[in-house]
Amino acid sequence: MKQIGHFIAGGVTTGSGRASDVFNPATGEVSASVALASAEEVGVAVAAAQGAFRDWADTPPIRRARILDTFKSLIWQRMDQLAEAITLEHGKTFEDAKGEVLRGLEVVEFAVGAPNFLKGEFSENVGRGVDVRSIRQPLGVCAGITPFNFPAMVPMWMFPVALACGNTFVLKPSERDPSVSLLLAAYLKEAGLPDGVFNVVQGDKEAVDALLAHPDVRAVSFVGSTPIARYIHQTGCANEKRVQALGGAKNHMVILPDADMEMAANALMGAAYGSAGERCMAISVAVPVGDATADKLIDTLLPKIDALKVGPGMDLASEMGPLVTKAAQDRVNQYVGRGEAEGAKVVVDGRNFTAPQGYEGGFFVGPSLLDGVTKEMSVWKDEIFGPVLSVARAQNYAEAVDLIHAHEYANGTAIFTRDGDAARAFSQDIEVGMVGVNVPIPVPVAYHSFGGWKASIFAEHHMHGMEGVRFYTRLKTTTARWPTGQRDDPQFTMPTLG
Ligand code: NAD
């Protein structure tokens, strides 16, 4: 059986204690065993990162950037290897996995610009002979705790920026799909990253709690579900760390009567069923305005859902793969039943999906479509995180906006319309962090920043882009005067320079 260990101080180490099964979701078979780090093992990784910090922080930004540039080239060359590792443990299709890697790679491309974005500010002669400069310095050891649904992209939202800024890093990936983290660590080493600058500890709550408690961990970046995000934020802040914790989502797409229906339906297919709905930016609620729009939307969606190819991720013909675990499969099936019991109409039922031959043990579900969903129902309130699209009909635009505002989550949203006034008002007024206009999954490019609002985030800073730079650095301002022959008398009032 394949053993998946940690990557500490430049080498792979096997775990010394607890372990967990890793599954191939397409077959349902156990494919590997992943080590679950103890607090002591986490301590060894943090010590390696702490030991490497001073020299890495003192390395000129251009040299740090060159290593990341080589890392970037290795990712390009090994895209298929990374994507295969993702598909075999996560279940998403191979092409989707490549897309994920590419979105992570964008952040590496951004991080290569570190010499530019780390430039400071300088003000000359703020008083006679007095200059001020402001610079951003690294924090020290930073930790990243990441979810199963983007095992390459979400870590890459974090560590390229952290490393470019001169920090060292300890990544705690999801125990469901841990292999890709070790590939990334190996590529960083091959690119010339000094040992100890980037480390991986595999694990679960025990490893997370050890990172949150460790005094040498200065900052914690987290992406995952809201209850854990809230816990990470509260615990990390109580331990006086800088914390950014991104949580769950329930993303609505408003479809106005004037929308290009074919465009909207195609967008919904990808946004609701792509990656089997296991995306924090998936659209899980369609909000057509007016019954005629809703009926037209459903009529346009039905043949597309019927044609959706569900199968193993490594089969290039598959458009949707299995869910990540048996528990996820059971949960999604239960939600469809719960929606039905609560009064929603099950227009397409993804339960009892027949898996392709040879994959009967896989964690497959078919796509589901529910109509008549209201905000009293659990299928609207809860994040299902599966291929279940709810249609919540609104009678007018204001009702659609009210529905979105009623939800505790506010990660992403979209509006489909040809009406510029309505689109502008929507993007201006909606209380959601990331907005798409005729764009279903508005994940910002790497040089902008990613983050939701409300219970989708517990943080002062969003991720990557300049928000990432602000998170992974602290500001220092130096005010300097040089003796030029002028000597001031002692001054006992508040110094004023102007
Ligand atoms: P999760 O919250 O179960 O796990 C995330 C991480 O936290 C993992 O590394 C896990 O090992 C660790 N963890 C789990 N339970 C813990 C506990 N009790 N104490 C400490 N650590 C714990 O999330 P998941 O199921 O891996 O990922 C899916 C969730 O992530 C969804 O809710 C999704 O919306 C969210 N997500 C959000 C974003 C975003 O940007 N907002 C992006 C991707 C995923």
Side-chain angles (χ1 to χ4, degrees):
M1 166 94 64
K2 179 178 160 194
Q3 303 289 323
I4 301 169
H6 315 299
F7 185 92
I8 299 175
V12 177
T13 60
T14 50
S16 59
R18 295 183 308 127
S20 171
D21 287 341
V22 178
F23 292 85
N24 178 347
T27 61
E29 286 160 6
V30 176
S31 60
S33 169
V34 62
L36 300 175
S38 63
E40 291 71 38
E41 287 168 312
V42 169
V44 175
V46 174
Q50 179 69 17
F53 171 64
R54 200 58 272 158
D55 193 53
W56 181 244
D58 289 342
T59 301
I62 189 84
R63 287 180 186 273
R64 299 197 297 248
R66 282 185 192 136
I67 292 172
L68 289 168
D69 197 39
T70 310
F71 174 60
K72 186 189 82 182
S73 307
L74 292 173
I75 294 177
W76 270 120
Q77 288 165 25
R78 317 234 175 106
M79 184 77 78
D80 286 5
Q81 186 187 26
L82 290 165
E84 186 175 351
I86 294 169
T87 296
L88 291 178
E89 292 179 356
H90 175 285
K92 68 176 73 175
T93 66
F94 183 66
E95 285 303 316
D96 189 29
K98 282 207 273 191
E100 153 173 11
V101 175
L102 207 53
R103 292 307 305 258
L105 184 80
E106 277 182 16
V107 184
V108 186
E109 289 171 334
F110 168 75
V112 169
N116 184 37
F117 61 63
L118 289 175
K119 272 191 311 201
E121 294 178 328
F122 188 85
S123 295
E124 191 182 47
N125 223 28
V126 296
R128 279 190 190 278
V130 179
D131 304 326
V132 172
R133 70 177 184 140
S134 293
I135 56 167
R136 304 203 73 95
Q137 294 189 316
L139 307 174
V141 179
C142 300
I145 299 157
T146 52
F148 81 84
N149 67 325
F150 286 108
M153 182 185 80
V154 169
M156 282 200 275
W157 282 354
M158 303 170 179
F159 73 77
V161 182
L163 299 184
C165 291
N167 301 282
T168 55
F169 206 85
V170 179
L171 172 66
K172 205 302 285 172
S174 169
E175 60 276 42
R176 315 237 177 284
D177 42 17
S179 287
V180 74
S181 64
L182 295 183
L183 291 176
L184 293 172
Y187 299 173
L188 281 167
K189 185 179 168 82
E190 191 178 337
L193 194 75
D195 292 348
V197 174
F198 181 77
N199 308 274
V200 179
V201 286
Q202 312 291 355
D204 56 5
K205 180 171 169 54
E206 188 172 337
V208 171
D209 285 342
L211 286 167
L212 290 173
H214 201 298
D216 286 341
V217 173
R218 303 279 179 226
V220 177
S221 300
F222 172 87
V223 175
S225 59
T226 285
I228 313 295
R230 194 176 270 127
Y231 166 76
I232 300 280
H233 188 253
Q234 286 172 355
T235 313
C237 289
N239 291 340
E240 300 183 349
K241 299 184 193 315
R242 195 176 278 202
V243 183
Q244 55 177 183
L246 275 58
K250 193 83 182 177
N251 306 315
H252 298 67
M253 183 205 276
V254 177
I255 300 109
L256 294 188
D258 70 344
D260 179 327
M261 195 52 84
E262 189 63 21
M263 180 190 187
N266 281 341
L268 258 180
M269 287 299 298
Y273 303 123
S275 201
E278 292 173 319
R279 288 184 184 138
C280 63
M281 290 292 274
I283 296 288
S284 47
V285 188
V287 192
V289 172
D291 283 327
T293 314
D295 294 342
K296 196 166 146 199
L297 176 71
I298 291 173
D299 287 347
T300 317
L301 281 173
L302 281 177
K304 295 179 194 293
I305 298 177
D306 199 40
L308 183 69
K309 295 192 193 70
V310 182
M314 289 309 292
D315 179 345
L316 294 183
S318 301
E319 294 167 322
M320 185 178 112
L323 291 168
V324 65
T325 55
K326 176 87 179 71
Q329 181 190 33
D330 292 344
R331 196 190 60 236
V332 168
N333 285 335
Q334 279 162 17
Y335 265 111
V336 176
R338 209 176 294 173
E340 191 172 29
E342 288 171 342
K345 181 177 170 201
V346 181
V347 183
V348 180
D349 193 339
R351 293 171 291 181
N352 308 322
F353 169 80
T354 315
Q357 218 181 358
Y359 295 93
E360 290 80 2
F363 308 136
F364 290 98
V365 296
S368 288
L369 181 68
L370 309 181
D371 190 13
V373 170
T374 65
K375 60 181 178 210
E376 288 70 39
M377 298 180 186
S378 62
V379 283
W380 179 78
K381 289 184 198 149
D382 302 347
E383 183 182 39
I384 302 174
F385 224 53
V388 182
L389 177 62
S390 294
V391 177
R393 296 170 179 237
Q395 290 317 310
N396 52 50
Y397 172 79
E399 225 179 271
V401 169
D402 286 350
L403 182 75
I404 296 173
H405 285 170
H407 211 283
E408 62 167 324
Y409 296 143
N411 212 38
T413 189
I415 188 165
F416 274 65
T417 180
R418 291 185 165 100
D419 181 339
D421 274 356
R424 188 172 185 283
F426 184 79
S427 14
Q428 194 74 20
D429 300 339
I430 204 76
E431 293 188 7
V432 176
M434 292 171 283
V435 183
V437 174
N438 297 315
V439 171
I441 307 183
V443 175
V445 289
Y447 36 99
H448 286 256
S449 301
F450 184 103
W453 286 11
K454 293 164 64 179
S456 293
I457 194 166
F458 306 88
E460 312 302 322
H461 297 94
H462 288 194
M463 281 194 187
H464 63 67
M466 286 312 291
E467 281 283 89
V469 175
R470 285 178 207 114
F471 181 75
Y472 288 121
T473 54
R474 48 187 174 174
L475 190 65
K476 180 181 280 179
T477 305
T478 302
T479 304
R481 154 186 284 160
W482 297 98
T484 52
Q486 178 197 339
R487 299 280 182 279
D488 293 336
D489 293 332
Q491 187 186 339
F492 300 102
T493 56
M494 183 66 188
T496 54
L497 291 169

